[in-house]
């Protein structure tokens, strides 16, 4: 399975958490009920019956099946420590930037006479805060995975291939066949 850039952004923000998420299904359900203000909203978010949510909250059900367990954990992680998440995002978008580690195929459009054959490269590159801000903003606005990859490709083109625009002016970079991508704050 190819890593998603959006999921990697979420994992990077989760790295700033100061406490673990609730571990038991009952504790996770109680947290979701509190956050979403009712069992009906939780049932809709998890695509289960309201009665099922009530049973988990009451402790009558304890071990959700694998797909439900994953949905519960995803919903809890999405809402866990929003202030810590916002602080980490603000720091990355204003002062620190982020680090992109990827294994992907890179091709180029450049001056005639140069090679533009795409090849697989392993790259780990720090990107400035402007690219962190662009990635987080695009993610919040519902950008597709392809759009997020294009923003990352623009950052890698500027910082890695053009050395912060000090060389290879006009070099266009194509970012395809992503095998792995990971973001760190």
């Amino acid at each position: 399975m190819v890593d998603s850039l959006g999921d990697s952004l979420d994992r990077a923000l989760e790295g700033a958490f100061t406490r673990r998420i609730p571990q038991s299904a009952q504790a996770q359900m109680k947290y979701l009920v509190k956050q979403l203000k009712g069992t009906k909203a939780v049932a809709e978010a998890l695509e289960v019956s309201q009665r099922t949510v009530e049973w988990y909250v009451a402790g009558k059900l304890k071990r959700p099946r694998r797909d439900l367990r994953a949905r519960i954990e995803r919903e809890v992680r999405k809402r866990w420590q929003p202030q810590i998440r916002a602080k980490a995002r603000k720091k990355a978008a204003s002062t620190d930037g982020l680090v992109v580690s990827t294994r992907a195929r890179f091709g180029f459009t450049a001056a005639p006479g140069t090679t533009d054959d795409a090849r697989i490269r392993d790259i780990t590159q720090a990107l400035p805060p402007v690219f962190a801000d662009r990635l987080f903003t695009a993610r919040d606005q519902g950008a597709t995975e392809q759009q997020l990859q294009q923003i990352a490709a623009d950052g890698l083109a500027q910082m890695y291939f053009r050395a912060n625009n000090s060389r290879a002016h006009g070099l266009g970079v194509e970012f395809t066949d992503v095998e792995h991508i990971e973001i760190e704050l």
Side-chain angles (χ1 to χ4, degrees), residues 1-6 8 100-106 119-123 145-146 148-150 152-153 156 174-183:
M1 182 178 129
V2 176
D3 292 337
S4 159
L5 184 57
S8 184
V100 176
S101 297
T102 186
R103 178 174 174 82
R105 184 172 303 279
F106 289 89
R119 67 177 195 239
I120 296 284
R121 292 177 187 248
D122 290 309
I123 296 176
E145 184 65 20
Q146 189 63 37
L148 293 174
Q149 285 181 4
Q150 185 56 52
L156 290 172
E174 296 173 12
F175 186 47
T176 58
D177 299 337
V178 178
E179 292 180 13
H180 168 79
I181 189 158
E182 189 66 35
I183 304 288

Side-chain angles (χ1 to χ4, degrees), residues 117-159:
D117 292 337
R119 67 177 195 239
I120 296 284
R121 292 177 187 248
D122 290 309
I123 296 176
T124 299
Q125 178 66 47
L127 298 182
V130 66
F131 288 103
D133 186 43
R134 284 180 57 195
L135 280 168
F136 286 123
T137 301
R139 173 85 166 139
D140 289 347
Q141 294 174 348
T144 64
E145 184 65 20
Q146 189 63 37
Q147 291 167 324
L148 293 174
Q149 285 181 4
Q150 185 56 52
I151 294 169
D154 293 344
L156 290 172
Q158 177 179 326
M159 300 307 295

Side-chain angles (χ1 to χ4, degrees), residues 17-80:
F17 289 169
T18 57
R19 294 185 329 227
R20 289 177 19 169
I21 67 168
Q23 298 301 301
S24 71
Q26 182 180 20
Q28 289 176 340
M29 281 293 193
K30 284 182 177 180
Y31 177 77
L32 288 175
V33 168
K34 184 178 177 185
Q35 291 297 307
L36 297 175
K37 298 176 177 39
T39 55
K40 185 175 182 180
V42 174
E44 290 172 3
L46 297 175
E47 299 173 359
V48 296
S49 72
Q50 187 173 351
R51 192 73 181 135
T52 301
V53 173
E54 292 167 357
W55 284 338
Y56 278 106
V57 169
K60 293 178 182 173
L61 290 176
K62 297 188 184 293
R63 292 188 185 91
R65 60 188 189 279
R66 185 176 297 147
D67 62 324
L68 178 57
R69 185 175 351 129
R71 288 196 308 263
I72 293 169
E73 189 168 322
R74 183 181 65 239
E75 292 298 321
V76 169
R77 284 186 184 283
K78 195 185 325 182
R79 291 165 178 80
W80 190 248

